[in-house]
Amino acid sequence: MADLVWKSHGRTRRSTRTVRVTVSAVIVAAVTVAVLLVPPLAQLDQQAVDLSMKLQPPSPAHPFGTDDVGRDLLLRCVYGLRVSLLVGLVAAFVATVIGTVVGAAAAVGGGWVDRVLMRLVDTFSSVPHLLLGIFVVAMFRPGVWPVIVSVALTHWLSTARIVRSEVLSLRSRPYIDAAISGGASRWRVTARHLLPGVLPQAGLAAVLMVPHAMWHESALSFLGLGLPTHQASLGNLVQTARGSLLAGDWWPTLFPGLFLIIPTLAVAGLAGAWRERINPRRRSELML
């Protein structure tokens, strides 16, 4: 009887996990299609101002309503998501490359190289990400690339630690000892065996970093330090809607917030499934 109950719980968990992954994949696919196809197909100017239509509630003509100068909020949200995704993807890629190089160099170099690089990581980690990001952005004019540089330079630290830990684990494997005994140099072993072994973990870190980078960009834009105010981004849309929210107009704040939260949850769902695949653990162990 206990075996039947155990199997039933196992099937229920697998079914729940499958539903979560499916829903997350559908949302990510819908977001991808929207940001790629809606702007060229709509053939509308998302900056077009129509004061006679300002702060219109959601309707068939404007499903998400309009903002305080009469611009269609659905189109603005899609454009804002497009910019935020661009920042998130590029910043996550750059940060992952930096973190992978630093973590691998620390683990392979060992000795004083490891100590110096990890103290550098600890030094950067001691400063809050947002504060350091504000400092970096403040040195440039507002724009997309300063925000990408800011996010990339403040988000490589966790990847460096993960890659270093994984490389140290791989160095103790028998096939690494066999390669070294066969006369392979340290850098050949690193390029042929160690780096390919850490790519799944580094890729997972990059995927998880995309929504985090989007939130970071939104925070900078909300503070007025990110993208120019005339450029649509999810942070700018929420920032400009604060006055409307205080006046009782909820839609200019709600929909940009949903465009930020829902893709984040979808990416987190897919990343969780990826983590379980590359690092399999029995559910029974988690329940003990």
Side-chain angles (χ1 to χ4, degrees), residues 65-206:
T66 60
D67 63 7
D68 56 348
V69 292
R71 294 173 295 193
D72 184 78
L73 199 57
L74 173 57
L75 194 60
R76 294 275 291 171
C77 285
V78 173
Y79 272 93
L81 181 59
R82 197 181 195 185
V83 173
S84 297
L85 272 178
L86 172 65
V87 172
L89 290 171
V90 177
F93 175 77
V94 175
T96 301
V97 171
I98 296 174
T100 301
V101 171
V102 173
V108 173
W112 67 269
V113 175
D114 186 20
R115 290 193 294 272
V116 169
L117 290 178
M118 295 318 294
R119 294 298 79 76
L120 178 65
V121 171
D122 293 339
T123 301
F124 274 95
S125 298
S126 64
V127 182
H129 285 178
L130 186 58
L131 182 61
L132 186 58
I134 291 173
F135 174 77
V136 174
V137 170
M139 295 189 298
F140 303 94
R141 297 182 62 182
V144 173
W145 290 108
V147 175
I148 291 176
V149 171
S150 169
V151 176
L153 292 181
T154 57
H155 286 73
W156 58 272
L157 308 172
S158 59
T159 303
R161 289 195 176 100
I162 292 171
V163 170
R164 176 182 178 271
S165 176
E166 192 68 16
V167 170
L168 290 176
S169 175
L170 291 174
R171 284 177 56 182
S172 62
R173 304 291 174 85
Y175 68 90
I176 299 297
D177 293 334
I180 295 175
S181 300
S185 66
R186 175 183 297 182
W187 299 111
R188 181 175 176 82
V189 171
T190 301
R192 293 291 300 274
H193 301 289
L194 296 180
L195 285 180
V198 302
L199 284 181
Q201 295 288 350
L204 176 60

Side-chain angles (χ1 to χ4, degrees), residues 19-93:
V19 171
R20 185 182 72 241
V21 172
T22 303
V23 172
S24 298
V26 169
I27 292 175
V28 170
V31 167
T32 303
V33 171
V35 299
L36 291 178
L37 297 183
V38 169
L41 292 179
Q43 296 295 321
L44 296 174
D45 183 6
Q46 52 105 8
Q47 298 284 8
V49 174
D50 184 1
L51 295 178
S52 65
M53 295 294 295
K54 69 176 185 178
L55 291 177
Q56 295 295 312
S59 64
H62 302 282
F64 286 4
T66 60
D67 63 7
D68 56 348
V69 292
R71 294 173 295 193
D72 184 78
L73 199 57
L74 173 57
L75 194 60
R76 294 275 291 171
C77 285
V78 173
Y79 272 93
L81 181 59
R82 197 181 195 185
V83 173
S84 297
L85 272 178
L86 172 65
V87 172
L89 290 171
V90 177
F93 175 77

